[in-house]
Amino acid sequence: HVQLVESGGGSVQAGGSLRLSCAASGYSNIRVCIGWFRQAPGKEREGVASIYTPSGAPQYVDSVKGRFTISQENAKNIVYLEMNELKPEDTGIYYCAAGIRCALAESAYGYWGRGTQVTVS
């Protein structure tokens, strides 16, 4: 049973940084992709970044390229999302998700965390 717990959200001023963490458990014997998604008020949830955990291969949505970095700490089963140069439009609830196919689409993921709020003003 895959479980995901996000942490690290908060409120920052534009131009600031945050690092989100996704602690994952329950998938040590299968190849998974971990994705980060966000949902702004009144908008649909969108894929931000993903990482294929066996290789560490990342992918990003265009709007965060050069500002966000996804990485993993294999020994602890944690995936990070380092967010720099934050903008007000980055505000939203950030979710991590686990799936067997790497894509920035919700349909690729079967397991979700509860989310962590990021507010940029």
Side-chain angles (χ1 to χ4, degrees):
H1 180 63
V2 177
Q3 292 185 311
L4 305 164
V5 179
E6 305 94 336
S7 61
S11 297
V12 296
Q13 292 188 335
S17 300
L18 283 173
R19 187 176 78 162
L20 306 183
S21 299
C22 174
S25 62
Y27 67 86
S28 59
N29 294 322
I30 62 174
R31 297 175 181 268
V32 296
C33 186
I34 301 294
W36 280 100
F37 288 74
R38 66 186 177 191
Q39 187 166 24
K43 295 188 177 181
E44 293 185 352
R45 192 155 53 182
E46 68 166 343
V48 175
S50 70
I51 188 166
Y52 183 54
T53 57
S55 67
Q59 61 176 316
Y60 302 94
V61 69
D62 286 347
S63 60
V64 307
K65 285 180 180 177
R67 300 189 298 122
F68 290 13
T69 303
I70 190 169
S71 62
Q72 60 183 349
E73 188 172 354
N74 290 336
K76 296 183 179 180
N77 273 5
I78 297 176
V79 171
Y80 301 102
L81 185 67
E82 184 77 33
M83 305 186 296
N84 298 313
E85 300 175 31
L86 283 162
K87 305 175 181 180
E89 51 263 44
D90 294 317
T91 294
I93 300 174
Y94 282 69
Y95 301 88
C96 69
I100 59 174
R101 179 172 65 91
C102 269
L104 295 179
E106 291 186 65
S107 60
Y109 299 87
Y111 300 93
W112 293 81
R114 294 188 175 186
T116 184
Q117 177 71 46
V118 171
T119 303
V120 185
S121 59

